[in-house]
Amino acid sequence: MAKFYDRLTTELQTFIEAQHIFFVATAPNDGRVNLSPKGMDALRIISESEIAYLDLTGSGNETAAHLLENGRITIMLCSFTEKPLILRLYGQGVSIRSKDAQWQEYLSLFPAIAGTRQIVRVNVESVQTSCGFAVPFYEFLGDRPTLKEWAETKGEEGVHEYRQNKNRQSIDGLPTGI
């Protein structure tokens, strides 16, 4: 059965730290819902009511556009091993970019990864657990190196140019802040 919390308990924080993948969902006021898988050791617990994740350059930048419009974000993690559990973190998010005063403070929490685009900070307003009984077992074999290698090959200037051409607006035409 689903259970709600008003903060991340120590037990839930331990669960989050053990996961290799998480999913990010956002939606504009009018348009497509975006749901993206994330990995690469990119999620950090800041406090019992705040998390942040390192966002890497990709084919789109839907999350940033949706956060600019309404701030709504849901992070989902689930266990693919041992004890079944689904964990959803509901909150308000903002994008922190290299020009922002908080950039260095948050960036220092993550490994250096080529192609880092922004950090998404989430004020967690509600936490929900559910059973996860239907989630299959999967074995973590490692992070894919493809995105990191792509960014390293393009170089900082090439990645910047890519963002300017591909990441300035969402697929629904909303600005992303880049």
Side-chain angles (χ1 to χ4, degrees):
M1 297 302 287
K3 185 173 179 181
F4 284 90
Y5 303 82
D6 61 358
R7 62 182 176 80
L8 289 169
T9 65
T10 302
E11 181 180 302
L12 295 175
Q13 290 181 40
T14 300
F15 173 77
I16 291 169
E17 291 167 348
Q19 305 314 306
H20 296 286
I21 186 171
F22 62 100
F23 300 85
V24 175
T26 59
N29 294 333
D30 183 34
R32 295 173 180 96
V33 173
N34 185 61
L35 176 62
S36 296
K38 308 288 182 187
M40 301 180 73
D41 190 28
L43 182 64
R44 294 293 180 271
I45 300 163
I46 309 303
S47 72
E48 60 186 22
S49 62
E50 182 184 351
I51 62 165
Y53 75 86
L54 192 63
D55 183 65
L56 305 173
T57 301
S59 56
N61 197 7
E62 302 306 297
T63 300
H66 300 164
L67 294 180
L68 275 175
E69 186 175 66
N70 60 40
R72 296 178 306 166
I73 188 166
T74 300
I75 307 290
M76 186 189 81
L77 302 100
C78 53
S79 174
F80 294 104
T81 61
E82 302 172 20
K83 181 181 173 186
L85 180 68
I86 298 171
L87 175 64
R88 291 179 183 88
L89 312 175
Y90 303 99
Q92 291 290 308
V94 295
S95 294
I96 300 170
R97 297 191 178 87
S98 61
K99 64 183 179 195
D100 296 327
Q102 298 174 303
W103 176 253
Q104 286 302 325
E105 173 189 352
Y106 280 88
L107 187 63
S108 70
L109 303 172
F110 300 96
I113 301 176
T116 294
R117 175 172 54 195
Q118 59 208 353
I119 296 165
V120 175
R121 184 184 61 76
V122 179
N123 177 32
V124 178
E125 298 171 334
S126 179
V127 178
Q128 178 197 19
T129 59
S130 57
C131 68
F133 291 169
V135 175
F137 290 108
Y138 276 95
E139 182 180 353
F140 177 71
L141 301 177
D143 289 317
R144 291 181 194 267
T146 312
L147 185 61
K148 183 177 156 191
E149 291 169 351
W150 171 85
E152 289 170 348
T153 300
K154 276 210 164 297
E156 200 170 311
E157 187 174 310
V159 171
H160 175 76
E161 183 178 312
Y162 180 88
R163 285 187 206 131
Q164 293 302 310
N165 293 328
K166 304 278 188 181
N167 290 171
R168 293 180 67 171
Q169 66 180 24
S170 74
I171 56 177
D172 293 316
L174 298 171
T176 66
I178 287 185

